[in-house]
Amino acid sequence: MPKLTLSAENALIIPPELRNHLGVGPGDAVSVEMGEKGMLVLRASRESVPLPPREKESGAAAGPVHPQEDGAALKEAIARKNLQTRMQFIKGVGPKLSELLEKRGVMCVEDALYLLPHRYEDRRELTPIVRLKPGTSAVFSGKVLSADITATKGGRRFFEALVADDSGTIAFKWFNANPTFMKRVWKPGRSGIFTGEVSQFGYQREVHHPDVEWLEEGKRVQDVLAADPVNFGRIVPVYPLTEGLGQKVMRKVMKEVVDGFLGSLQELVPAAILEPLSLPGLRQSVRDLHLPPPEAGLDDLNQGRTPAHRAIAFDEFFFWELGLALKKRGVALEEGIAFQVTHRYTKQLARLLPFELTGAQRRVLSEIKTDMMAPHPMHRLVQGDVGSGKTLVALMAALVAVENGYQVAIMAPTEILAEQHWHTIHRFCTELGIETVLITAGMKGKAKSEVLARVANGSAQIVIGTHAVIQEKVEFARLGLGIIDEQHRFGVLQRGVLRKKGCNPDILVMTATPIPRTLAMTLFGDLSLSVIDELPPGRTPVETRIAFESRRSQVYAAIRDEVRQGRQAYVIYPLVEETEKSDLKAASQMAELLSRDVFPDLRIGLLHGRMAPDEKETVMGSFKARDLDILVSTTVIEVGIDVPNATVMVIEHAERFGLSQLHQLRGRVGRGSARSRCILLTAGKLSEDGERRLKVMESTTDGFRIAEADLEIRGPGDFLGIRQSGMPDFRVANILRDGSLLEQARQAAFGLLERDPELSAAGHASLKDELLRRWGQRLELALIG
Ligand code: ADP
Ligand code: MG
């Protein structure tokens, strides 16, 4: 039975076992009651006592727990524990409120501290009614002139009050109120302070469902405002809420949390890093965002550009980049395969090719070779615009591994692409005497077990497939290199699984969609980066035009023109089958229409995602063999398909595609030396974003510029569906808005690790703890000591 003792100051000292049992930390209040048979009953009290100022935390207050322990470490441990305090222990938070908060994702004090307002309202001064602007939220005072139930012309009943000050009058409206109750409250002659969104209908400005603070007879407005400093007389935070949770309650709870627990936030990023960047500390920043100081700029607050926002964003970036730096360093230290470059196959392949490698291909290849020769695993990302010749670079790297007696796995995001890679690679490898196999999801029975056996006994030297390649059943005899094409479609996880298929094989990641630098740093910051920034010679940029529906016949004429010259055409549709709801031209119906009415004399094929893999392959095969003039397709041809004789692409409903997708699609033409065109057909009623996208497509073919624009228009969350492929959830940081901070955080993190690789210097140990806590699992960081 744990013993209770009294401290010198007459405070009850509760032993740790009992504290854990009660779920309280130091400084939390505990209620003591006399129970049955004279036993004391202890309960965690709702009334939390503010923690003593930080300076005193270690010494006197924490003393009784473990007086002999090192002050700093203990202080941190306590602080960390305090941040985990459940919300129901906060003053004013009962079970119902804590449930609502949980719905908003606020489980503990730390969650609350980081639930930042999404907007701020300027309530520093009252606005005269005459100056209330529609579309803004305002605080003003006035007197009720009249209040009664009334109805719209359409017969809808609502309650209306007219309120005036010296300067003017405004109407308040409620649509579902109880009139008896409302009339009792909204008495003419009563004065109050009102808050709400001002809107305008015809000549009349009105406020729907305003908040009100009534003035008692004879009380002055200024006194009432001063008595509620959380909600008036300042810039007030507006929090993201959930149903049943109001701003006033939220502000009260948040103030409680900030006042009581701000001191528990750790200032971990070394001052030496923050000071040169003039960034405030974490505590001050969190406080300033919940309780903005009077001099704060409203616009800066609302745009997330205050020093406080920047400091928190930096903090988030810093830890993420530190994690990436550690990970990169960890990989660099691991033992890997040291390949030898014998040139045996690579020289032969070079002779087989009808062209020379571009300078960029050669440079990237030598970067890859340097990595492969090192006795550590390669983790390299190759970025190259569509058509820059990545497949060949991948094949060359694969040959290096094969020369050394290792197997290579090549993963593509779709069956069609895997098949295409296999065709290209198989053709060359047959001549080189290298065995390749294709693993597809549709493979069954004996065929499948045969292929798997060849992978397992090592006779299959290059193994190509979709994610099927990393299924459990696929065992490699000696996997030395994994190549992942079109990385953004794969999760970081799959990278890991592929790695585990071999003994620390080299990993080469290739992406056809240029990724803006900030995003690449965030997503792939632990990889080394190579960019193929040059297209093979003789390519002319694809000429791109927007065409409206009214010019459809000219568009058809353009297709006919190309076909007459022996070229081929793509026509792309967003959906497979027409649904009642949409006016989209479905690929299958349009293919029919085109071949019946428009081009009865031409050969037209159809490709869409619901076809069986072998059907798809047959169609692609005929198009490649020029047995088809026009290929009508959905976006299944999006990535990687290579038919250099296709010189015109018409994209129907172009406004419905994202920029990167349009760029990918367009990359299917302009792959030979002939002049190519891309026509973006659109119905004509373009949204602002839609128009922006199409204009970007018209103005440039540079994949990096398109990617930047795409990121800007769509934001990082939607860019290429990156959320699934590993965008970390930052609470404040935004890679678009805070791009330069990201660069600074990356430099700071990588620099710090360079100076202190083990993070063992004074103060850095807690950085390591915090890093593990935040990102350890996500980054699979295994740090010892
Ligand atoms: P991507 O980078 O989009 O994967 P591919 O590897 O499919 O590009 O290459 C696109 C086309 O360019 C292919 O037809 C390929 O044979 C050709 N190609 C690749 N490298 C060169 C080169 N150095 N010179 C000329 N053509 C090349
Ligand atoms: Mg490719």
Side-chain angles (χ1 to χ4, degrees), residues 363-640:
R363 191 193 67 241
V364 169
L365 200 57
S366 85
E367 287 166 358
I368 293 172
K369 282 180 183 166
T370 307
D371 280 2
M372 289 183 76
M373 287 158 73
H376 309 292
M378 163 171 76
H379 270 196
R380 185 169 286 277
L381 173 70
V382 175
Q383 286 201 56
D385 210 339
V386 273
S388 61
K390 290 181 297 295
T391 316
L392 208 57
V393 170
L395 177 56
M396 286 284 193
L399 294 184
V400 173
V402 172
E403 281 167 8
N404 285 263
Y406 282 94
Q407 289 171 295
V408 179
I410 301 182
M411 293 205 303
T414 65
E415 296 269 332
I416 288 198
L417 268 183
E419 282 159 29
Q420 180 178 290
H421 277 323
W422 185 73
H423 279 297
T424 313
I425 290 170
H426 176 70
R427 187 159 46 97
F428 289 119
C429 284
T430 315
E431 297 203 42
L432 298 173
I434 294 171
E435 201 175 317
T436 60
V437 296
L438 176 68
I439 297 185
T440 63
M443 243 161 56
K444 284 184 194 79
K446 197 154 154 249
K448 184 169 185 178
S449 53
E450 256 173 41
V451 165
L452 291 185
R454 278 158 66 202
V455 178
N457 69 24
S459 61
Q461 291 158 289
I462 299 183
V463 181
I464 301 170
T466 59
H467 54 276
V469 167
I470 56 165
Q471 273 170 6
E472 272 168 50
K473 278 168 273 169
V474 186
E475 301 252 10
F476 288 83
R478 211 161 174 245
L479 182 61
L481 171 66
I483 299 177
I484 306 178
D485 194 13
E486 320 295 354
Q487 161 73 16
H488 59 266
R489 300 239 177 157
F490 290 102
V492 179
L493 199 69
Q494 273 147 317
R495 252 197 269 164
V497 177
L498 183 58
R499 276 183 62 193
K500 283 172 196 130
K501 285 273 165 194
C503 342
N504 258 353
D506 281 0
I507 305 277
L508 191 61
V509 171
M510 307 210 294
T511 161
T513 310
I515 303 171
R517 201 182 136 68
T518 46
L519 202 53
M521 269 192 301
T522 315
L523 283 176
F524 308 117
D526 57 331
L527 306 181
S528 314
L529 186 67
S530 293
V531 182
I532 309 183
D533 50 5
E534 179 187 351
L535 293 180
R539 303 250 171 101
T540 39
V542 180
E543 202 184 286
T544 304
R545 272 189 300 127
I546 301 173
F548 293 103
E549 190 58 42
S550 52
R551 309 196 32 173
R552 181 171 285 276
S553 55
Q554 274 131 300
V555 172
Y556 289 151
I559 294 179
R560 190 171 278 287
D561 196 41
E562 293 292 324
V563 174
R564 196 175 296 134
Q565 295 174 46
R567 306 291 180 194
Q568 291 161 284
Y570 292 106
V571 181
I572 310 293
Y573 291 92
L575 283 182
V576 184
E577 265 165 54
E578 200 156 358
T579 60
E580 283 175 86
K581 285 183 230 109
S582 101
D583 58 345
L584 297 185
K585 308 244 164 20
S588 44
Q589 284 168 17
M590 272 313 277
E592 218 182 291
L593 186 117
L594 286 181
S595 57
R596 203 182 49 215
D597 302 341
V598 189
F599 304 115
D601 51 329
L602 302 185
R603 299 161 301 170
I604 296 177
L606 172 66
L607 191 70
H608 62 70
R610 295 205 203 135
M611 288 161 64
D614 52 338
E615 273 181 279
K616 278 192 253 179
E617 199 182 329
T618 312
V619 174
M620 268 322 297
S622 342
F623 191 63
K624 275 191 177 182
R626 301 199 192 181
D627 294 337
L628 295 172
D629 301 308
I630 301 173
L631 184 61
V632 176
S633 173
T634 61
T635 53
V636 289
I637 64 139
E638 185 185 338
V639 237

Side-chain angles (χ1 to χ4, degrees), residues 76-134:
E76 258 173 42
I78 293 171
R80 223 169 254 146
K81 176 112 204 310
N82 285 343
L83 289 177
Q84 300 313 312
T85 306
R86 316 277 315 171
M87 288 304 286
Q88 75 223 44
F89 295 116
I90 302 303
K91 181 176 170 189
V93 180
K96 226 173 123 188
L97 185 50
S98 75
E99 209 172 285
L100 286 173
L101 287 167
E102 275 183 26
K103 270 202 199 137
R104 253 267 126 232
V106 179
M107 313 291 167
C108 64
V109 160
E110 185 178 25
D111 297 331
L113 288 173
Y114 279 105
L115 182 78
L116 297 179
H118 58 152
R119 189 161 75 70
Y120 294 84
E121 265 176 37
D122 192 347
R123 296 195 182 170
R124 284 175 290 200
E125 279 175 36
L126 297 179
T127 312
I129 287 179
V130 72
R131 294 226 317 263
L132 294 178
K133 266 204 252 78

Side-chain angles (χ1 to χ4, degrees), residues 175-235:
F175 292 95
N176 293 309
N178 171 342
T180 324
F181 170 79
M182 291 300 282
K183 279 189 105 155
R184 217 178 298 140
V185 177
W186 290 81
K187 285 206 194 93
R190 221 172 162 193
S191 293
I193 298 161
F194 311 102
T195 313
E197 298 278 339
V198 182
S199 51
Q200 176 125 26
F201 289 89
Y203 294 114
Q204 182 162 282
R205 286 169 310 155
E206 48 191 61
V207 177
H208 296 176
H209 308 245
D211 274 345
V212 58
E213 189 83 19
W214 293 111
L215 293 179
E216 273 171 47
E217 200 83 41
K219 259 210 173 160
R220 291 184 337 143
V221 175
Q222 294 312 327
D223 297 338
V224 174
L225 294 184
D228 187 359
V230 175
N231 291 296
F232 295 111
R234 61 179 310 150
I235 293 180

Side-chain angles (χ1 to χ4, degrees), residues 1-6 12-15 18 22 32 40-42:
M1 170 69 68
K3 274 217 178 82
L4 299 175
T5 40
L6 276 184
L12 204 50
I13 296 174
I14 304 174
L18 209 52
L22 292 169
V32 185
L40 284 183
V41 180
L42 301 186

Side-chain angles (χ1 to χ4, degrees), residues 111-395:
D111 297 331
L113 288 173
Y114 279 105
L115 182 78
L116 297 179
H118 58 152
R119 189 161 75 70
Y120 294 84
E121 265 176 37
D122 192 347
R123 296 195 182 170
R124 284 175 290 200
E125 279 175 36
L126 297 179
T127 312
I129 287 179
V130 72
R131 294 226 317 263
L132 294 178
K133 266 204 252 78
T136 63
S137 154
V139 188
F140 53 98
S141 71
K143 197 178 256 181
V144 180
L145 296 180
S146 67
D148 208 343
I149 189 90
T150 167
T152 61
K153 282 200 198 98
R156 190 169 172 212
R157 283 152 63 84
F158 61 93
F159 192 88
E160 184 178 48
L162 288 179
V163 170
D165 66 2
D166 297 341
S167 73
T169 310
I170 192 161
F172 293 166
K173 288 182 180 173
W174 294 260
F175 292 95
N176 293 309
N178 171 342
T180 324
F181 170 79
M182 291 300 282
K183 279 189 105 155
R184 217 178 298 140
V185 177
W186 290 81
K187 285 206 194 93
R190 221 172 162 193
S191 293
I193 298 161
F194 311 102
T195 313
E197 298 278 339
V198 182
S199 51
Q200 176 125 26
F201 289 89
Y203 294 114
Q204 182 162 282
R205 286 169 310 155
E206 48 191 61
V207 177
H208 296 176
H209 308 245
D211 274 345
V212 58
E213 189 83 19
W214 293 111
L215 293 179
E216 273 171 47
E217 200 83 41
K219 259 210 173 160
R220 291 184 337 143
V221 175
Q222 294 312 327
D223 297 338
V224 174
L225 294 184
D228 187 359
V230 175
N231 291 296
F232 295 111
R234 61 179 310 150
I235 293 180
V236 294
V238 180
Y239 290 97
L241 299 174
T242 180
E243 194 169 332
L245 194 59
Q247 288 297 347
K248 268 194 180 170
V249 172
M250 197 67 172
R251 280 182 205 128
K252 190 159 163 283
V253 171
M254 289 305 221
K255 183 167 187 311
E256 202 66 44
V257 170
V258 171
D259 286 348
F261 291 88
L262 198 67
S264 298
L265 277 181
Q266 302 291 297
E267 306 277 4
L268 293 174
V269 181
I273 288 177
L274 293 182
E275 266 159 28
L277 299 170
S278 321
L279 292 171
L282 198 58
R283 279 178 214 156
Q284 191 196 326
S285 303
V286 169
R287 171 186 286 282
D288 284 356
L289 293 187
H290 287 289
L291 309 164
E295 70 281 5
L298 188 70
D299 289 343
D300 284 348
L301 277 170
N302 277 326
Q303 290 162 19
R305 294 183 195 276
T306 61
H309 280 107
R310 292 168 50 77
I312 296 176
F314 183 88
D315 184 88
E316 292 186 299
F317 283 146
F318 178 80
F319 277 100
W320 177 252
E321 292 295 333
L322 190 64
L324 293 176
L326 265 171
K327 191 162 172 129
K328 190 168 177 183
R329 196 188 132 75
V331 171
L333 291 177
E334 275 174 37
E335 237 176 89
I337 307 161
F339 292 99
Q340 282 172 10
V341 175
T342 67
H343 300 297
R344 185 176 150 210
Y345 291 126
T346 45
K347 278 251 165 75
Q348 276 189 55
L349 176 63
R351 275 199 294 274
L352 289 175
L353 292 174
F355 46 72
E356 300 265 299
L357 291 187
T358 63
Q361 281 173 317
R362 237 174 293 150
R363 191 193 67 241
V364 169
L365 200 57
S366 85
E367 287 166 358
I368 293 172
K369 282 180 183 166
T370 307
D371 280 2
M372 289 183 76
M373 287 158 73
H376 309 292
M378 163 171 76
H379 270 196
R380 185 169 286 277
L381 173 70
V382 175
Q383 286 201 56
D385 210 339
V386 273
S388 61
K390 290 181 297 295
T391 316
L392 208 57
V393 170
L395 177 56

